[in-house]
Amino acid sequence: MELRVLQYFLAVTREQSITGAAEALHLSQPTLSRQLRELEEELGKQLMIRGNRRITLTEEGMILRKRAEEIMELVKKAEDEISLSDEIIAGDISIGAGETDGVRYLARAARALQKRYPLIRLHIVSGDKTTVMEELDRGLIDFGLIFGEIDTTKYEFIQVPYQDTWGVIMRRDAPLAEKETITATDLMDKPLILSRQAFQNHNFREFFPCSQEDLNIVATYNLLFNGSLMVDEGMGYAVSFDKLINVSGDSNLCFRPLEPKLEAGMHIVWKKYQVLSRAARHFLQKLQEVVLD
């Protein structure tokens, strides 16, 4: 039984489909199916039931998944111990992240790591949660900085000790600019500019006493800078996080927090069973130190 095949098996249990696992592993579906059949033949047991839409594990398959997870964890620990003895650590670390002041934690970890390993480079790929998770699942990035709920069956995570505050960006001459805080009632009849994934947030949905269809949503954005331009041109009010758009000095815009206060926590996530590069593993270790500091 090869480690490579165990990784394939775990990928199928994670994706719950051979097609999805083949895409994540960058293999053809026939190749992956053949590897799984050979694994079942080697063990003399059926490991999974192949349905029309998803894979279901047999009792033997569930036993193998548990043991395979333990094996891969031991392999990872061995790799970590060996890699720590290397004097030269270099490479690229790619992180998908939404717009948030929490990116500072990534920058602090990278700066501290580069003092010891100057050949490590950090790449931030901007995007909303949907985009970040798609790229993480496809193996295009190493980590994701996301808000909201996490599928712990698919991802490992670190909670970042920072919360973004929801509020409204508006023109300084807008009627609501006279208020110190903004309630849901204030926004019910206003033209709104929202993040395209805002209503995926449970707390955000509960803030409004109505469905998304009952709001006057005139536009959506996935990067707030574009949303702020729409606000500046008088299209409406953008609901967003604080500290992302400059509203100081001679800016034509201002920010007002929501009332009651609404915050969003964030996590650094990465795929379970993913074999991280040495640079990525060192970054993860440094990030944990920064978060706990």
Side-chain angles (χ1 to χ4, degrees):
M1 188 184 306
E2 299 181 31
L3 288 177
R4 171 178 53 83
V5 179
L6 285 181
Q7 289 179 319
Y8 293 170
F9 173 74
L10 288 174
V12 173
T13 65
R14 181 175 65 248
E15 302 294 337
Q16 296 185 327
S17 85
I18 294 178
T19 300
E23 292 178 356
L25 294 167
H26 306 292
L27 293 174
S28 69
Q29 185 173 337
T31 297
L32 180 57
S33 296
R34 185 181 69 254
Q35 294 281 356
L36 295 174
R37 284 196 303 271
E38 291 176 355
L39 177 61
E40 290 179 321
E41 291 172 0
E42 179 182 355
L43 296 174
K45 296 288 185 179
Q46 182 179 3
L47 300 174
M48 55 189 68
I49 301 171
R50 297 158 175 81
N52 292 331
R53 294 188 176 181
R54 57 182 295 178
I55 293 293
T56 302
L57 292 180
T58 63
E59 183 177 351
E60 291 79 9
M62 288 187 285
I63 293 173
L64 180 61
R65 179 179 64 183
K66 183 177 184 300
R67 297 308 181 194
E69 289 172 353
E70 294 172 353
I71 291 170
M72 298 313 299
E73 182 63 25
L74 288 173
V75 170
K76 180 179 181 302
K77 288 182 179 179
E79 290 176 340
D80 289 344
E81 292 172 357
I82 293 171
S83 67
L84 288 175
S85 66
D86 295 335
E87 296 183 1
I88 298 178
I89 304 295
D92 298 307
I93 303 167
S94 297
I95 304 176
E99 295 174 294
T100 169
D101 200 54
V103 170
R104 292 182 183 275
Y105 285 91
L106 307 180
R108 290 171 191 167
R111 182 172 180 270
L113 189 62
Q114 287 172 339
K115 288 181 178 180
R116 182 175 181 183
Y117 305 115
L119 297 180
I120 286 180
R121 294 177 297 274
L122 180 68
H123 305 280
I124 300 293
V125 182
S126 297
D128 59 18
K129 182 178 179 179
T130 300
T131 302
V132 169
M133 298 311 292
E134 286 177 353
E135 295 197 346
L136 186 63
D137 287 342
R138 294 169 60 191
L140 300 178
I141 56 178
D142 300 303
F143 305 100
L145 178 63
I146 64 170
F147 304 96
E149 299 176 352
I150 299 168
D151 184 351
T152 56
T153 66
K154 295 179 63 175
Y155 307 104
E156 303 283 0
F157 69 92
I158 298 175
Q159 184 171 358
V160 178
Y162 176 82
Q163 291 189 320
D164 274 312
T165 300
W166 283 99
V168 182
I169 293 177
M170 65 192 82
R171 289 170 57 108
R172 292 185 182 273
D173 58 1
L176 293 183
E178 299 177 358
K179 299 174 66 69
E180 292 186 2
T181 59
I182 306 298
T183 67
T185 302
D186 294 328
L187 299 174
M188 291 300 296
D189 61 343
K190 299 297 188 295
L192 301 181
I193 303 168
L194 303 181
S195 163
R196 66 174 182 172
Q197 62 175 20
F199 274 85
Q200 295 179 18
N201 184 292
H202 174 71
N203 292 331
F204 189 88
R205 291 196 304 269
E206 289 192 340
F207 177 79
F208 287 100
C210 63
S211 66
Q212 182 176 353
E213 291 72 21
D214 293 326
L215 297 174
N216 181 20
I217 302 174
V218 298
T220 63
Y221 65 85
N222 68 330
L223 294 177
L224 182 57
F225 178 74
N226 295 330
S228 71
L229 295 181
M230 289 188 276
V231 174
D232 198 31
E233 290 298 323
M235 286 185 61
Y237 297 79
V239 183
S240 72
F241 293 141
D242 195 6
K243 299 181 181 180
L244 301 182
I245 297 296
N246 180 19
V247 294
S248 62
D250 59 355
S251 172
N252 194 39
L253 305 178
C254 63
F255 178 89
R256 299 290 183 265
L258 297 180
E259 177 66 37
K261 189 174 184 180
L262 186 63
E263 296 180 319
M266 67 187 70
H267 302 82
I268 293 287
V269 302
W270 62 99
K271 293 171 66 174
K272 281 190 174 183
Y273 321 119
Q274 179 177 348
V275 180
L276 297 173
S277 68
R278 286 183 294 172
R281 291 197 297 270
H282 279 273
F283 175 79
L284 188 58
Q285 181 180 2
K286 183 59 64 176
L287 183 62
Q288 289 172 320
E289 296 173 4
V290 169
V291 166
L292 294 176
D293 188 2

